[in-house]
Amino acid sequence: MEEVDVLIVGSGMGGATTAAALAPSGRRIVILERGERLADTAEARDAEAIFARGYFRPKETWLTPEGERFNPGNYACVGGNTKFYGAVLMRYRAEDFAPRRHFGGSTPGWPIGYDDLEPWYQRAEDLYRVCGMLGADPTEPPHSGVYPRPPVPHEPEIADLERRLKAVGLHPAALPLGVDIERWLARARTPWDAYPCTTGAKMDAESVGLAAALKHPGVELRTGVTVERLEAGAAGRVTAVVTSAGPIAARQVVLAAGAVHTAALLLRSASGDHPRGLANRSDQVGRNFMNHNASGLLALSPRRNRTVYQKTLYINDWYNSGGPEGEPLGNVQLLGRVSGPILAAQTGLPRPIARMISDRAIDFYVMSEDLPDPDSRVTLKGADIVLNWTRSNREAHERLLAALRSALRRAGFPLILSRPFDRRTPSHQCGTARMGDDPAASVVGPWGRAHDHGNLWIADASVLPTSGAVNPSLTVAAHALRVGHALTRTLHEEVAA
């Protein structure tokens, strides 16, 4: 059986960033990815191909609890979902790490605080070359440094929107983004949100984390390899990773396949010694699935919107409060430009009507926290993944939409249209292998090591105890850097022993 020092399952934000952190150690590191690298084709910048024909949409299906098949929209490719992400790299707010009261219940808090994660946030921002600016958002937590690059410039229509929002008492701020705008627009004048990056213009898991890792001779990426299960002895140590290309033994194993697939892999690895699956003495694997409450909102006015990319602004005025008793409502940020073809494909509207609406609309992404619920979970039915997602905290989301509509009307947008995203949109899935201090109530400890297995680590969004109400990519990257640090220390200690 082949033997390596560290085996990483998944090349998305968690896996690629962990590899980047580990690579300087000189260890033999193998990264397994079930997909392939995306090719640079004409379809990569073709709205019709992406949104109407679903050229890049994966064919994978999961089941609802009722047995209905659906396509979840999770991408299997080098770089994972970050190849299509909106490149928003925003920190959780300090308040997100403590227990909080919401409309739909209370969140439990984290075993670490913001101050514990802050140095890793700073390193992640530096690694992913985030464009941003401090000082405009009153909810911004303390930073030990500054953003490595200035913000992506507002287009004229968005600069005008910023002025209007300030005039009605809001505090719009520049979105922290991982994108080289000049390089992106040099390929084609399109948005980047939901478009695949095939030229390295987005600071995604492939172009940054993986590229940094692969500069070291001991690091290898293998594509087209599916991990079928893990094997562990009665004492708990993972002894083999069984793949479509044969078994591999590793001194340390890192799972970073995404919140759903990491949980499914642990459950699929059940054995006589571990009848509930691996890392599941707590019966928490697969539970507490969260997927943000999210809606698209179009604000229309007589003014034409000639923006190309649009996605440069956010509003957090309702992030920490907004409800009648101070309940948090969530985050508002701009979507990438929703053109006529995209709107027609997503809504079924006739093309001329979709184009007329798009020409006069500015597009917003409205996001509220989904709360952890042990009955919202990932399970297996034979070879199929079953996702039982029970939405929570919907009142907060409806109140956020209402607050935004009111503010936009005061800012000069008389007509507002909105539509929630459904389960076909992977809106920041997380929570299925939660982090905690108590092995009876969590899957991994504060540094990402499984409570039940001394050589098993989890570096993706499945460990997040709460979803917050911002994009999780930067938090996953910061956590992955912590995993890489702790794992490097563990490997050194093993050699010394």
Side-chain angles (χ1 to χ4, degrees):
M1 185 187 305
E2 181 185 12
E3 297 183 4
V4 300
D5 291 318
V6 182
L7 187 69
I8 300 174
V9 180
S11 68
M13 184 62 88
T17 308
T18 302
L22 282 171
S25 70
R27 307 291 177 174
R28 187 180 178 208
I29 301 163
V30 172
I31 306 154
L32 302 181
E33 170 54 55
R34 63 191 175 112
E36 302 290 345
R37 290 186 187 268
L38 292 177
D40 185 23
T41 63
E43 288 83 3
R45 293 299 189 92
D46 183 343
E48 185 78 23
I50 296 167
F51 298 97
R53 303 204 310 269
Y55 181 87
F56 292 97
R57 195 167 184 92
K59 296 179 173 58
E60 177 181 11
T61 60
W62 300 343
L63 296 177
T64 67
E66 297 74 30
E68 178 185 352
R69 289 197 176 274
F70 70 98
N71 182 308
N74 287 57
Y75 294 96
C77 57
V78 175
N81 285 338
T82 68
K83 297 304 297 179
F84 293 79
Y85 78 157
V88 175
L89 293 166
M90 186 183 295
R91 301 182 182 204
Y92 274 29
R93 276 30 199 165
E95 294 83 355
D96 288 322
F97 294 85
R100 300 185 83 179
R101 181 175 54 83
H102 297 262
F103 280 104
S106 297
T107 49
W110 289 47
I112 60 174
Y114 173 78
D115 289 345
D116 297 305
L117 200 58
E118 196 285 329
W120 306 97
Y121 271 136
Q122 190 64 50
R123 294 181 194 188
E125 287 168 351
D126 291 341
L127 176 63
Y128 281 89
R129 303 190 288 282
V130 180
C131 305
M133 180 176 65
L134 300 174
D137 174 12
T139 74
E140 186 79 53
H143 285 233
S144 57
V146 297
Y147 286 112
R149 297 194 297 170
V152 176
H154 292 325
E155 293 165 286
E157 291 84 352
I158 306 310
D160 177 67
L161 171 67
E162 182 181 45
R163 289 190 292 271
R164 290 172 178 274
L165 294 175
K166 287 181 178 179
V168 298
L170 298 180
H171 300 81
L175 263 177
L177 295 166
V179 64
D180 182 333
I181 187 62
E182 293 182 1
R183 186 171 183 178
W184 180 266
L185 295 177
R187 170 68 172 77
R189 293 183 65 78
T190 71
W192 61 80
D193 197 2
Y195 283 70
C197 184
T198 55
T199 60
K202 284 188 198 179
M203 304 301 106
D204 59 38
E206 179 190 24
S207 65
V208 177
L210 195 60
L214 292 175
K215 290 178 182 178
H216 296 263
V219 182
E220 179 186 357
L221 170 69
R222 299 179 188 175
T223 61
V225 179
T226 301
V227 176
E228 298 167 355
R229 68 182 188 279
L230 310 182
E231 294 181 349
R237 190 169 183 84
V238 176
T239 56
V241 177
V242 180
T243 81
S244 57
I248 303 172
R251 291 169 61 190
Q252 303 289 332
V253 177
V254 179
L255 298 186
V260 172
H261 278 285
T262 285
L265 178 56
L266 292 170
L267 294 172
R268 198 174 285 126
S269 301
S271 65
D273 291 322
H274 307 281
R276 287 179 171 174
L278 294 194
N280 202 22
R281 175 165 43 116
S282 62
D283 192 31
Q284 292 298 304
V285 170
R287 295 186 182 274
N288 305 298
F289 174 83
M290 293 167 283
N291 197 43
H292 281 134
N293 294 306
S295 295
L297 183 147
L298 275 61
L300 282 78
S301 74
R303 298 177 295 278
R304 291 184 68 86
N305 181 5
R306 296 180 174 83
T307 61
V308 174
Y309 51 84
Q310 185 176 261
K311 193 178 179 69
T312 55
L313 178 147
Y314 77 98
I315 310 163
N316 259 2
D317 288 75
W318 304 288
Y319 194 87
N320 285 328
S321 64
E325 297 183 25
E327 298 91 344
L329 299 185
N331 168 265
V332 175
Q333 58 188 251
L334 292 177
L335 275 168
R337 184 75 174 96
V338 179
S339 63
I342 296 174
L343 187 60
Q346 298 299 304
T347 64
L349 287 170
R351 292 294 182 89
I353 295 175
R355 187 178 303 109
M356 181 181 66
I357 293 173
S358 171
D359 284 349
R360 288 162 178 81
I362 292 180
D363 318 298
F364 293 82
Y365 183 63
V366 185
M367 178 166 42
S368 301
E369 185 159 357
D370 187 19
L371 309 183
D373 177 350
D375 293 326
S376 191
R377 64 187 299 195
V378 174
T379 57
L380 300 175
K381 184 177 181 180
D384 284 312
I385 290 172
V386 180
L387 179 61
N388 183 8
W389 176 33
T390 304
R391 287 182 182 267
S392 68
N393 207 31
R394 290 294 296 174
E395 184 176 350
H397 191 61
E398 294 303 324
R399 285 179 178 267
L400 179 59
L401 286 166
L404 178 60
R405 289 188 191 104
S406 175
L408 288 171
R409 289 189 180 106
R410 298 196 311 273
F413 295 88
L415 181 59
I416 312 292
L417 306 174
S418 65
R419 181 176 179 175
F421 290 107
D422 61 19
R423 67 174 62 234
R424 295 179 71 251
T425 304
S427 302
H428 312 146
Q429 299 161 352
C430 60
T432 58
R434 69 192 306 174
M435 176 195 297
D437 289 319
D438 183 1
S442 58
V443 178
V444 301
W447 290 91
R449 194 202 305 247
H451 292 303
D452 300 350
H453 310 284
N455 67 333
L456 178 63
W457 308 72
I458 301 180
D460 59 28
S462 60
V463 307
L464 304 186
T466 58
S467 63
V470 297
N471 316 56
S473 296
L474 188 72
T475 300
V476 172
H479 167 68
L481 290 174
R482 278 170 54 91
V483 170
H485 173 78
L487 188 44
T488 299
R489 186 174 55 200
T490 297
L491 289 166
H492 286 323
E493 288 170 354
E494 286 182 346
V495 170

